[in-house]
Amino acid sequence: MKFLSLFILSSLFVTSATWLNNLDDAKKTAAIKHELILLNFSGSDWCGPCIRLKKEIFESAEFKNYADENLVLVNADFPRLKKNQPGKEQVKLNEALADQYNPKGKFPFTLLLDAEGKVLKTWEGFPGISAEDFTNEIKSISNATTK
């Protein structure tokens, strides 16, 4: 029991640069840290724009530096290759997220949510802007919602 309590407590304070795979955990962390949630639907091994988004924006220094202190990141990945398939429980979580936030099955599809899961902004496909501009969009929404 002591280990479980320690695990739950430590998981609430995971740094935002880490991509979580459970929105419920992300909501708890976002509420505690007063941060927004960035939810990304990806096809990591088949979707060219998804791969580009990860490489050019999510792995950029600009985005990582901001996200580390200001966002809770969640990835719902839908790979096609058998070797990349998540476990059955993760597949259920991802499918539930898709039912709620991405019923049309767009890839990539990125959403900015508040701690309750309310959609503040969406990006369909590759945003077509620099990592700096993408990060600045999130900053301005965050600044507007926290004031």
Side-chain angles (χ1 to χ4, degrees), residues 4-139:
L4 182 60
S5 298
L6 183 60
F7 173 76
I8 291 170
L9 184 61
S10 67
S11 69
L12 293 176
F13 295 98
V14 171
T15 61
S16 294
T18 301
W19 287 86
L20 304 177
N21 53 23
N22 184 313
L23 184 60
D24 290 335
D25 292 344
K27 286 178 180 179
K28 291 173 190 169
T29 301
I32 290 168
K33 296 174 81 177
H34 306 288
E35 295 177 347
L36 298 179
I37 299 166
L38 189 78
L39 170 60
N40 179 249
F41 288 91
S42 177
S44 64
D45 63 7
W46 60 270
C47 171
C50 299
I51 295 165
R52 184 176 174 206
L53 178 63
K54 180 180 178 187
K55 182 179 179 183
E56 293 181 24
I57 294 182
F58 295 151
E59 292 180 352
S60 72
E62 296 89 355
F63 179 81
K64 283 181 170 182
N65 289 338
Y66 180 75
D68 186 49
E69 297 294 324
N70 300 283
L71 296 173
V72 180
L73 305 173
V74 179
N75 185 36
D77 192 23
F78 291 83
R80 289 187 179 161
L81 296 177
K82 187 174 183 175
K83 69 178 182 174
N84 297 333
Q85 292 298 310
K88 289 181 182 180
E89 197 58 39
Q90 188 59 52
V91 169
K92 284 182 189 176
L93 287 172
N94 290 353
E95 288 175 352
L97 279 177
D99 287 345
Q100 182 175 2
Y101 290 103
N102 191 10
K104 294 183 181 177
K106 303 171 190 172
F107 291 94
F109 189 56
T110 308
L111 303 94
L112 188 63
L113 311 171
D114 67 14
E116 289 81 38
K118 178 184 172 197
V119 177
L120 304 174
K121 171 130 178 94
T122 63
W123 295 266
E124 186 176 330
F126 184 81
I129 56 177
S130 69
E132 183 178 3
D133 289 343
F134 184 82
T135 305
N136 285 337
E137 280 188 26
I138 295 170
K139 283 180 189 178

